[in-house]
Amino acid sequence: MKAELAKPFIKAAVDVLSMMAMVTPIPGKPYVKKGKTAVGDVTGLVGITGDMNGTISISFTKSCAVTIVKNMLGDDIQDIIQDVQDAVGEITNMVSGQARAGLAEHGLTFSGSTPSVIMGDNHTIAHISSTPIMAIPFNSDAGEFTIEFCFE
């Protein structure tokens, strides 16, 4: 997989989280992920179809997810678990959409499914691909998160 395909994901994460949650993500070095265990505690997952098929996920640590929700909703938190699920799903949708628009500039056209959200310590992510899974770690004042993607 070409390393430049990570750039639309990095830009999307920085743009969306800066705008929606007042969080400034700092990307780390992309790497090929081994195994299926999520890096974080809350993961949004989107299936993609089009020129290739695959998946995009964003896994947040608990503290990062809660901080993002508080920044997005202010004091209007009704049910922290439901609000975290909703916010992670929405952020996954927005980052995925913007990244897919960036990938179109590389000649790759994709449609995305409705995000699903998985929560829990050491949960697994079943990426739909036999190709390597690229992972991009991020740090921020809110905590850490990782974007993973793969296409075939």
Side-chain angles (χ1 to χ4, degrees), residues 23-62:
V23 169
T24 305
I26 300 165
K29 183 179 178 185
Y31 63 93
V32 175
K33 182 182 177 195
K34 305 289 184 200
K36 294 185 177 202
T37 303
V39 178
D41 306 301
V42 183
T43 300
L45 180 68
V46 172
I48 54 171
T49 58
D51 290 336
M52 294 185 273
N53 296 323
T55 48
I56 300 168
S57 69
I58 308 177
S59 294
F60 297 90
T61 61
K62 285 178 199 170

PDB file of all heavy atoms in Angstrom, residues 23-62:
ATOM      1  N   VAL A  23      -9.823  19.973  19.443  1.00  0.00           N
ATOM      2  CA  VAL A  23      -8.684  19.111  19.764  1.00  0.00           C
ATOM      3  C   VAL A  23      -7.723  19.194  18.579  1.00  0.00           C
ATOM      4  O   VAL A  23      -8.152  19.116  17.432  1.00  0.00           O
ATOM      5  CB  VAL A  23      -9.142  17.648  19.971  1.00  0.00           C
ATOM      6  CG1 VAL A  23      -7.976  16.699  20.042  1.00  0.00           C
ATOM      7  CG2 VAL A  23     -10.000  17.540  21.225  1.00  0.00           C
ATOM      8  N   THR A  24      -6.431  19.375  18.863  1.00  0.00           N
ATOM      9  CA  THR A  24      -5.434  19.452  17.804  1.00  0.00           C
ATOM     10  C   THR A  24      -4.612  18.162  17.784  1.00  0.00           C
ATOM     11  O   THR A  24      -3.693  18.002  18.590  1.00  0.00           O
ATOM     12  CB  THR A  24      -4.503  20.666  18.013  1.00  0.00           C
ATOM     13  OG1 THR A  24      -5.312  21.837  18.113  1.00  0.00           O
ATOM     14  CG2 THR A  24      -3.534  20.816  16.853  1.00  0.00           C
ATOM     15  N   PRO A  25      -4.953  17.235  16.890  1.00  0.00           N
ATOM     16  CA  PRO A  25      -4.220  15.970  16.816  1.00  0.00           C
ATOM     17  C   PRO A  25      -2.833  16.146  16.183  1.00  0.00           C
ATOM     18  O   PRO A  25      -2.668  16.921  15.249  1.00  0.00           O
ATOM     19  CB  PRO A  25      -5.080  15.088  15.918  1.00  0.00           C
ATOM     20  CG  PRO A  25      -6.364  15.805  15.732  1.00  0.00           C
ATOM     21  CD  PRO A  25      -6.099  17.246  15.992  1.00  0.00           C
ATOM     22  N   ILE A  26      -1.865  15.435  16.710  1.00  0.00           N
ATOM     23  CA  ILE A  26      -0.514  15.416  16.156  1.00  0.00           C
ATOM     24  C   ILE A  26      -0.242  13.988  15.678  1.00  0.00           C
ATOM     25  O   ILE A  26      -0.199  13.062  16.489  1.00  0.00           O
ATOM     26  CB  ILE A  26       0.518  15.840  17.219  1.00  0.00           C
ATOM     27  CG1 ILE A  26       0.197  17.255  17.701  1.00  0.00           C
ATOM     28  CG2 ILE A  26       1.938  15.755  16.659  1.00  0.00           C
ATOM     29  CD1 ILE A  26       0.901  17.642  18.973  1.00  0.00           C
ATOM     30  N   PRO A  27      -0.096  13.810  14.351  1.00  0.00           N
ATOM     31  CA  PRO A  27       0.088  12.445  13.831  1.00  0.00           C
ATOM     32  C   PRO A  27       1.469  11.898  14.152  1.00  0.00           C
ATOM     33  O   PRO A  27       2.459  12.629  14.187  1.00  0.00           O
ATOM     34  CB  PRO A  27      -0.094  12.608  12.323  1.00  0.00           C
ATOM     35  CG  PRO A  27       0.207  14.045  12.038  1.00  0.00           C
ATOM     36  CD  PRO A  27      -0.154  14.805  13.284  1.00  0.00           C
ATOM     37  N   GLY A  28       1.505  10.590  14.394  1.00  0.00           N
ATOM     38  CA  GLY A  28       2.759   9.872  14.543  1.00  0.00           C
ATOM     39  C   GLY A  28       3.105   9.212  13.221  1.00  0.00           C
ATOM     40  O   GLY A  28       2.494   9.489  12.189  1.00  0.00           O
ATOM     41  N   LYS A  29       4.058   8.320  13.260  1.00  0.00           N
ATOM     42  CA  LYS A  29       4.515   7.642  12.052  1.00  0.00           C
ATOM     43  C   LYS A  29       3.572   6.479  11.716  1.00  0.00           C
ATOM     44  O   LYS A  29       3.339   5.599  12.547  1.00  0.00           O
ATOM     45  CB  LYS A  29       5.928   7.112  12.273  1.00  0.00           C
ATOM     46  CG  LYS A  29       6.517   6.465  11.047  1.00  0.00           C
ATOM     47  CD  LYS A  29       7.929   5.968  11.297  1.00  0.00           C
ATOM     48  CE  LYS A  29       8.440   5.284  10.049  1.00  0.00           C
ATOM     49  NZ  LYS A  29       9.750   4.686  10.272  1.00  0.00           N
ATOM     50  N   PRO A  30       3.028   6.452  10.491  1.00  0.00           N
ATOM     51  CA  PRO A  30       2.181   5.323  10.085  1.00  0.00           C
ATOM     52  C   PRO A  30       2.967   4.012  10.118  1.00  0.00           C
ATOM     53  O   PRO A  30       4.183   3.991   9.905  1.00  0.00           O
ATOM     54  CB  PRO A  30       1.785   5.674   8.644  1.00  0.00           C
ATOM     55  CG  PRO A  30       1.932   7.157   8.560  1.00  0.00           C
ATOM     56  CD  PRO A  30       3.100   7.486   9.448  1.00  0.00           C
ATOM     57  N   TYR A  31       2.254   2.923  10.412  1.00  0.00           N
ATOM     58  CA  TYR A  31       2.877   1.605  10.472  1.00  0.00           C
ATOM     59  C   TYR A  31       1.876   0.549  10.018  1.00  0.00           C
ATOM     60  O   TYR A  31       0.672   0.824   9.925  1.00  0.00           O
ATOM     61  CB  TYR A  31       3.385   1.301  11.889  1.00  0.00           C
ATOM     62  CG  TYR A  31       2.298   1.242  12.943  1.00  0.00           C
ATOM     63  CD1 TYR A  31       1.696   0.030  13.294  1.00  0.00           C
ATOM     64  CD2 TYR A  31       1.877   2.393  13.600  1.00  0.00           C
ATOM     65  CE1 TYR A  31       0.705  -0.023  14.268  1.00  0.00           C
ATOM     66  CE2 TYR A  31       0.888   2.348  14.575  1.00  0.00           C
ATOM     67  CZ  TYR A  31       0.306   1.135  14.905  1.00  0.00           C
ATOM     68  OH  TYR A  31      -0.682   1.087  15.866  1.00  0.00           O
ATOM     69  N   VAL A  32       2.375  -0.636   9.723  1.00  0.00           N
ATOM     70  CA  VAL A  32       1.511  -1.762   9.372  1.00  0.00           C
ATOM     71  C   VAL A  32       1.111  -2.448  10.675  1.00  0.00           C
ATOM     72  O   VAL A  32       1.962  -2.866  11.458  1.00  0.00           O
ATOM     73  CB  VAL A  32       2.223  -2.749   8.432  1.00  0.00           C
ATOM     74  CG1 VAL A  32       1.350  -3.965   8.171  1.00  0.00           C
ATOM     75  CG2 VAL A  32       2.593  -2.065   7.123  1.00  0.00           C
ATOM     76  N   LYS A  33      -0.199  -2.544  10.897  1.00  0.00           N
ATOM     77  CA  LYS A  33      -0.708  -3.134  12.137  1.00  0.00           C
ATOM     78  C   LYS A  33      -0.661  -4.653  12.066  1.00  0.00           C
ATOM     79  O   LYS A  33      -1.012  -5.247  11.045  1.00  0.00           O
ATOM     80  CB  LYS A  33      -2.136  -2.678  12.384  1.00  0.00           C
ATOM     81  CG  LYS A  33      -2.695  -3.229  13.683  1.00  0.00           C
ATOM     82  CD  LYS A  33      -4.109  -2.820  13.913  1.00  0.00           C
ATOM     83  CE  LYS A  33      -4.619  -3.462  15.188  1.00  0.00           C
ATOM     84  NZ  LYS A  33      -6.050  -3.394  15.288  1.00  0.00           N
ATOM     85  N   LYS A  34      -0.271  -5.244  13.152  1.00  0.00           N
ATOM     86  CA  LYS A  34      -0.291  -6.705  13.301  1.00  0.00           C
ATOM     87  C   LYS A  34      -1.364  -7.043  14.332  1.00  0.00           C
ATOM     88  O   LYS A  34      -1.471  -6.394  15.353  1.00  0.00           O
ATOM     89  CB  LYS A  34       1.058  -7.221  13.793  1.00  0.00           C
ATOM     90  CG  LYS A  34       2.228  -6.802  12.931  1.00  0.00           C
ATOM     91  CD  LYS A  34       2.228  -7.501  11.601  1.00  0.00           C
ATOM     92  CE  LYS A  34       3.466  -7.125  10.807  1.00  0.00           C
ATOM     93  NZ  LYS A  34       3.319  -7.376   9.406  1.00  0.00           N
ATOM     94  N   GLY A  35      -2.160  -8.041  14.076  1.00  0.00           N
ATOM     95  CA  GLY A  35      -3.183  -8.469  15.021  1.00  0.00           C
ATOM     96  C   GLY A  35      -4.487  -7.721  14.839  1.00  0.00           C
ATOM     97  O   GLY A  35      -4.600  -6.807  14.029  1.00  0.00           O
ATOM     98  N   LYS A  36      -5.480  -8.137  15.618  1.00  0.00           N
ATOM     99  CA  LYS A  36      -6.822  -7.576  15.490  1.00  0.00           C
ATOM    100  C   LYS A  36      -7.257  -6.754  16.698  1.00  0.00           C
ATOM    101  O   LYS A  36      -8.311  -6.129  16.669  1.00  0.00           O
ATOM    102  CB  LYS A  36      -7.834  -8.709  15.275  1.00  0.00           C
ATOM    103  CG  LYS A  36      -7.634  -9.426  13.961  1.00  0.00           C
ATOM    104  CD  LYS A  36      -8.716 -10.440  13.721  1.00  0.00           C
ATOM    105  CE  LYS A  36      -8.507 -11.082  12.361  1.00  0.00           C
ATOM    106  NZ  LYS A  36      -9.711 -11.663  11.841  1.00  0.00           N
ATOM    107  N   THR A  37      -6.476  -6.741  17.773  1.00  0.00           N
ATOM    108  CA  THR A  37      -6.875  -6.015  18.973  1.00  0.00           C
ATOM    109  C   THR A  37      -6.785  -4.520  18.731  1.00  0.00           C
ATOM    110  O   THR A  37      -5.784  -4.016  18.215  1.00  0.00           O
ATOM    111  CB  THR A  37      -5.989  -6.412  20.168  1.00  0.00           C
ATOM    112  OG1 THR A  37      -6.079  -7.823  20.353  1.00  0.00           O
ATOM    113  CG2 THR A  37      -6.436  -5.714  21.437  1.00  0.00           C
ATOM    114  N   ALA A  38      -7.840  -3.802  19.101  1.00  0.00           N
ATOM    115  CA  ALA A  38      -7.878  -2.354  18.929  1.00  0.00           C
ATOM    116  C   ALA A  38      -6.846  -1.692  19.834  1.00  0.00           C
ATOM    117  O   ALA A  38      -6.568  -2.166  20.936  1.00  0.00           O
ATOM    118  CB  ALA A  38      -9.267  -1.824  19.256  1.00  0.00           C
ATOM    119  N   VAL A  39      -6.305  -0.582  19.369  1.00  0.00           N
ATOM    120  CA  VAL A  39      -5.351   0.188  20.163  1.00  0.00           C
ATOM    121  C   VAL A  39      -6.083   0.964  21.258  1.00  0.00           C
ATOM    122  O   VAL A  39      -5.535   1.212  22.317  1.00  0.00           O
ATOM    123  CB  VAL A  39      -4.545   1.143  19.256  1.00  0.00           C
ATOM    124  CG1 VAL A  39      -3.591   1.996  20.062  1.00  0.00           C
ATOM    125  CG2 VAL A  39      -3.789   0.344  18.203  1.00  0.00           C
ATOM    126  N   GLY A  40      -7.332   1.345  21.014  1.00  0.00           N
ATOM    127  CA  GLY A  40      -8.106   2.130  21.968  1.00  0.00           C
ATOM    128  C   GLY A  40      -9.216   1.331  22.612  1.00  0.00           C
ATOM    129  O   GLY A  40      -9.293   0.107  22.493  1.00  0.00           O
ATOM    130  N   ASP A  41     -10.100   2.067  23.297  1.00  0.00           N
ATOM    131  CA  ASP A  41     -11.209   1.461  24.040  1.00  0.00           C
ATOM    132  C   ASP A  41     -12.563   1.661  23.357  1.00  0.00           C
ATOM    133  O   ASP A  41     -13.528   0.985  23.679  1.00  0.00           O
ATOM    134  CB  ASP A  41     -11.275   2.074  25.445  1.00  0.00           C
ATOM    135  CG  ASP A  41      -9.947   1.966  26.164  1.00  0.00           C
ATOM    136  OD1 ASP A  41      -9.474   0.836  26.345  1.00  0.00           O
ATOM    137  OD2 ASP A  41      -9.381   3.015  26.522  1.00  0.00           O
ATOM    138  N   VAL A  42     -12.631   2.629  22.434  1.00  0.00           N
ATOM    139  CA  VAL A  42     -13.866   2.933  21.709  1.00  0.00           C
ATOM    140  C   VAL A  42     -13.486   3.087  20.240  1.00  0.00           C
ATOM    141  O   VAL A  42     -12.644   3.914  19.906  1.00  0.00           O
ATOM    142  CB  VAL A  42     -14.520   4.241  22.199  1.00  0.00           C
ATOM    143  CG1 VAL A  42     -15.837   4.483  21.479  1.00  0.00           C
ATOM    144  CG2 VAL A  42     -14.716   4.240  23.694  1.00  0.00           C
ATOM    145  N   THR A  43     -14.108   2.293  19.366  1.00  0.00           N
ATOM    146  CA  THR A  43     -13.755   2.303  17.952  1.00  0.00           C
ATOM    147  C   THR A  43     -14.976   2.544  17.083  1.00  0.00           C
ATOM    148  O   THR A  43     -16.003   1.902  17.263  1.00  0.00           O
ATOM    149  CB  THR A  43     -13.120   0.949  17.544  1.00  0.00           C
ATOM    150  OG1 THR A  43     -11.942   0.732  18.315  1.00  0.00           O
ATOM    151  CG2 THR A  43     -12.768   0.927  16.058  1.00  0.00           C
ATOM    152  N   GLY A  44     -14.831   3.467  16.142  1.00  0.00           N
ATOM    153  CA  GLY A  44     -15.810   3.645  15.077  1.00  0.00           C
ATOM    154  C   GLY A  44     -15.288   2.932  13.844  1.00  0.00           C
ATOM    155  O   GLY A  44     -14.095   3.038  13.521  1.00  0.00           O
ATOM    156  N   LEU A  45     -16.139   2.198  13.145  1.00  0.00           N
ATOM    157  CA  LEU A  45     -15.734   1.387  12.000  1.00  0.00           C
ATOM    158  C   LEU A  45     -16.677   1.632  10.828  1.00  0.00           C
ATOM    159  O   LEU A  45     -17.901   1.599  11.002  1.00  0.00           O
ATOM    160  CB  LEU A  45     -15.748  -0.093  12.395  1.00  0.00           C
ATOM    161  CG  LEU A  45     -15.356  -1.120  11.354  1.00  0.00           C
ATOM    162  CD1 LEU A  45     -13.870  -1.008  11.010  1.00  0.00           C
ATOM    163  CD2 LEU A  45     -15.666  -2.524  11.857  1.00  0.00           C
ATOM    164  N   VAL A  46     -16.094   1.874   9.645  1.00  0.00           N
ATOM    165  CA  VAL A  46     -16.877   2.107   8.437  1.00  0.00           C
ATOM    166  C   VAL A  46     -16.389   1.148   7.351  1.00  0.00           C
ATOM    167  O   VAL A  46     -15.181   1.048   7.109  1.00  0.00           O
ATOM    168  CB  VAL A  46     -16.697   3.564   7.938  1.00  0.00           C
ATOM    169  CG1 VAL A  46     -17.351   3.776   6.591  1.00  0.00           C
ATOM    170  CG2 VAL A  46     -17.233   4.554   8.940  1.00  0.00           C
ATOM    171  N   GLY A  47     -17.317   0.460   6.722  1.00  0.00           N
ATOM    172  CA  GLY A  47     -16.986  -0.344   5.558  1.00  0.00           C
ATOM    173  C   GLY A  47     -17.023   0.545   4.330  1.00  0.00           C
ATOM    174  O   GLY A  47     -17.839   1.473   4.251  1.00  0.00           O
ATOM    175  N   ILE A  48     -16.136   0.277   3.374  1.00  0.00           N
ATOM    176  CA  ILE A  48     -16.117   1.075   2.149  1.00  0.00           C
ATOM    177  C   ILE A  48     -16.146   0.160   0.931  1.00  0.00           C
ATOM    178  O   ILE A  48     -15.617  -0.945   0.951  1.00  0.00           O
ATOM    179  CB  ILE A  48     -14.889   2.014   2.088  1.00  0.00           C
ATOM    180  CG1 ILE A  48     -13.590   1.247   2.276  1.00  0.00           C
ATOM    181  CG2 ILE A  48     -15.007   3.129   3.109  1.00  0.00           C
ATOM    182  CD1 ILE A  48     -12.354   2.075   2.019  1.00  0.00           C
ATOM    183  N   THR A  49     -16.803   0.662  -0.110  1.00  0.00           N
ATOM    184  CA  THR A  49     -16.874  -0.048  -1.384  1.00  0.00           C
ATOM    185  C   THR A  49     -16.611   0.957  -2.496  1.00  0.00           C
ATOM    186  O   THR A  49     -16.719   2.162  -2.296  1.00  0.00           O
ATOM    187  CB  THR A  49     -18.261  -0.691  -1.602  1.00  0.00           C
ATOM    188  OG1 THR A  49     -19.257   0.340  -1.552  1.00  0.00           O
ATOM    189  CG2 THR A  49     -18.567  -1.747  -0.559  1.00  0.00           C
ATOM    190  N   GLY A  50     -16.276   0.458  -3.646  1.00  0.00           N
ATOM    191  CA  GLY A  50     -16.016   1.333  -4.789  1.00  0.00           C
ATOM    192  C   GLY A  50     -14.920   0.745  -5.634  1.00  0.00           C
ATOM    193  O   GLY A  50     -14.969  -0.434  -5.988  1.00  0.00           O
ATOM    194  N   ASP A  51     -13.908   1.560  -5.932  1.00  0.00           N
ATOM    195  CA  ASP A  51     -12.783   1.075  -6.728  1.00  0.00           C
ATOM    196  C   ASP A  51     -12.100  -0.106  -6.046  1.00  0.00           C
ATOM    197  O   ASP A  51     -11.542  -0.972  -6.708  1.00  0.00           O
ATOM    198  CB  ASP A  51     -11.774   2.198  -6.972  1.00  0.00           C
ATOM    199  CG  ASP A  51     -12.327   3.250  -7.914  1.00  0.00           C
ATOM    200  OD1 ASP A  51     -13.228   2.933  -8.714  1.00  0.00           O
ATOM    201  OD2 ASP A  51     -11.849   4.402  -7.859  1.00  0.00           O
ATOM    202  N   MET A  52     -12.115  -0.109  -4.730  1.00  0.00           N
ATOM    203  CA  MET A  52     -11.653  -1.233  -3.912  1.00  0.00           C
ATOM    204  C   MET A  52     -12.617  -1.362  -2.745  1.00  0.00           C
ATOM    205  O   MET A  52     -13.434  -0.483  -2.513  1.00  0.00           O
ATOM    206  CB  MET A  52     -10.228  -0.980  -3.397  1.00  0.00           C
ATOM    207  CG  MET A  52      -9.167  -0.939  -4.486  1.00  0.00           C
ATOM    208  SD  MET A  52      -7.508  -0.798  -3.807  1.00  0.00           S
ATOM    209  CE  MET A  52      -7.357   0.968  -3.660  1.00  0.00           C
ATOM    210  N   ASN A  53     -12.527  -2.462  -2.024  1.00  0.00           N
ATOM    211  CA  ASN A  53     -13.334  -2.659  -0.821  1.00  0.00           C
ATOM    212  C   ASN A  53     -12.416  -2.652   0.382  1.00  0.00           C
ATOM    213  O   ASN A  53     -11.243  -2.997   0.286  1.00  0.00           O
ATOM    214  CB  ASN A  53     -14.091  -3.987  -0.885  1.00  0.00           C
ATOM    215  CG  ASN A  53     -15.090  -4.017  -2.019  1.00  0.00           C
ATOM    216  OD1 ASN A  53     -15.727  -3.024  -2.318  1.00  0.00           O
ATOM    217  ND2 ASN A  53     -15.206  -5.160  -2.676  1.00  0.00           N
ATOM    218  N   GLY A  54     -12.955  -2.293   1.534  1.00  0.00           N
ATOM    219  CA  GLY A  54     -12.135  -2.301   2.734  1.00  0.00           C
ATOM    220  C   GLY A  54     -12.846  -1.701   3.920  1.00  0.00           C
ATOM    221  O   GLY A  54     -14.079  -1.634   3.959  1.00  0.00           O
ATOM    222  N   THR A  55     -12.052  -1.246   4.882  1.00  0.00           N
ATOM    223  CA  THR A  55     -12.592  -0.669   6.112  1.00  0.00           C
ATOM    224  C   THR A  55     -11.698   0.469   6.585  1.00  0.00           C
ATOM    225  O   THR A  55     -10.507   0.524   6.287  1.00  0.00           O
ATOM    226  CB  THR A  55     -12.689  -1.716   7.239  1.00  0.00           C
ATOM    227  OG1 THR A  55     -11.460  -2.424   7.315  1.00  0.00           O
ATOM    228  CG2 THR A  55     -13.822  -2.690   7.017  1.00  0.00           C
ATOM    229  N   ILE A  56     -12.324   1.362   7.335  1.00  0.00           N
ATOM    230  CA  ILE A  56     -11.649   2.476   7.991  1.00  0.00           C
ATOM    231  C   ILE A  56     -12.125   2.464   9.439  1.00  0.00           C
ATOM    232  O   ILE A  56     -13.324   2.335   9.697  1.00  0.00           O
ATOM    233  CB  ILE A  56     -12.031   3.823   7.344  1.00  0.00           C
ATOM    234  CG1 ILE A  56     -11.633   3.840   5.869  1.00  0.00           C
ATOM    235  CG2 ILE A  56     -11.409   4.986   8.106  1.00  0.00           C
ATOM    236  CD1 ILE A  56     -12.227   5.007   5.084  1.00  0.00           C
ATOM    237  N   SER A  57     -11.192   2.584  10.381  1.00  0.00           N
ATOM    238  CA  SER A  57     -11.593   2.646  11.787  1.00  0.00           C
ATOM    239  C   SER A  57     -10.822   3.741  12.507  1.00  0.00           C
ATOM    240  O   SER A  57      -9.724   4.128  12.092  1.00  0.00           O
ATOM    241  CB  SER A  57     -11.361   1.305  12.495  1.00  0.00           C
ATOM    242  OG  SER A  57      -9.973   1.052  12.629  1.00  0.00           O
ATOM    243  N   ILE A  58     -11.432   4.239  13.576  1.00  0.00           N
ATOM    244  CA  ILE A  58     -10.766   5.184  14.473  1.00  0.00           C
ATOM    245  C   ILE A  58     -10.998   4.669  15.885  1.00  0.00           C
ATOM    246  O   ILE A  58     -12.143   4.499  16.311  1.00  0.00           O
ATOM    247  CB  ILE A  58     -11.322   6.612  14.359  1.00  0.00           C
ATOM    248  CG1 ILE A  58     -11.328   7.074  12.901  1.00  0.00           C
ATOM    249  CG2 ILE A  58     -10.498   7.563  15.226  1.00  0.00           C
ATOM    250  CD1 ILE A  58     -11.930   8.445  12.701  1.00  0.00           C
ATOM    251  N   SER A  59      -9.903   4.402  16.608  1.00  0.00           N
ATOM    252  CA  SER A  59      -9.979   3.897  17.985  1.00  0.00           C
ATOM    253  C   SER A  59      -9.435   4.956  18.939  1.00  0.00           C
ATOM    254  O   SER A  59      -8.310   5.418  18.787  1.00  0.00           O
ATOM    255  CB  SER A  59      -9.150   2.616  18.144  1.00  0.00           C
ATOM    256  OG  SER A  59      -9.709   1.572  17.388  1.00  0.00           O
ATOM    257  N   PHE A  60     -10.267   5.311  19.915  1.00  0.00           N
ATOM    258  CA  PHE A  60      -9.913   6.316  20.909  1.00  0.00           C
ATOM    259  C   PHE A  60      -9.699   5.664  22.269  1.00  0.00           C
ATOM    260  O   PHE A  60     -10.410   4.708  22.614  1.00  0.00           O
ATOM    261  CB  PHE A  60     -11.054   7.329  21.078  1.00  0.00           C
ATOM    262  CG  PHE A  60     -11.354   8.124  19.848  1.00  0.00           C
ATOM    263  CD1 PHE A  60     -12.283   7.666  18.917  1.00  0.00           C
ATOM    264  CD2 PHE A  60     -10.723   9.333  19.607  1.00  0.00           C
ATOM    265  CE1 PHE A  60     -12.577   8.405  17.778  1.00  0.00           C
ATOM    266  CE2 PHE A  60     -11.012  10.080  18.469  1.00  0.00           C
ATOM    267  CZ  PHE A  60     -11.934   9.613  17.556  1.00  0.00           C
ATOM    268  N   THR A  61      -8.772   6.200  23.066  1.00  0.00           N
ATOM    269  CA  THR A  61      -8.705   5.798  24.467  1.00  0.00           C
ATOM    270  C   THR A  61      -9.958   6.340  25.156  1.00  0.00           C
ATOM    271  O   THR A  61     -10.597   7.275  24.655  1.00  0.00           O
ATOM    272  CB  THR A  61      -7.446   6.359  25.163  1.00  0.00           C
ATOM    273  OG1 THR A  61      -7.500   7.789  25.104  1.00  0.00           O
ATOM    274  CG2 THR A  61      -6.172   5.832  24.521  1.00  0.00           C
ATOM    275  N   LYS A  62     -10.316   5.773  26.301  1.00  0.00           N
ATOM    276  CA  LYS A  62     -11.503   6.245  27.034  1.00  0.00           C
ATOM    277  C   LYS A  62     -11.406   7.729  27.329  1.00  0.00           C
ATOM    278  O   LYS A  62     -12.353   8.489  27.096  1.00  0.00           O
ATOM    279  CB  LYS A  62     -11.649   5.488  28.353  1.00  0.00           C
ATOM    280  CG  LYS A  62     -12.148   4.091  28.229  1.00  0.00           C
ATOM    281  CD  LYS A  62     -12.213   3.437  29.598  1.00  0.00           C
ATOM    282  CE  LYS A  62     -12.262   1.943  29.450  1.00  0.00           C
ATOM    283  NZ  LYS A  62     -12.084   1.249  30.715  1.00  0.00           N
TER     284      LYS A  62
END
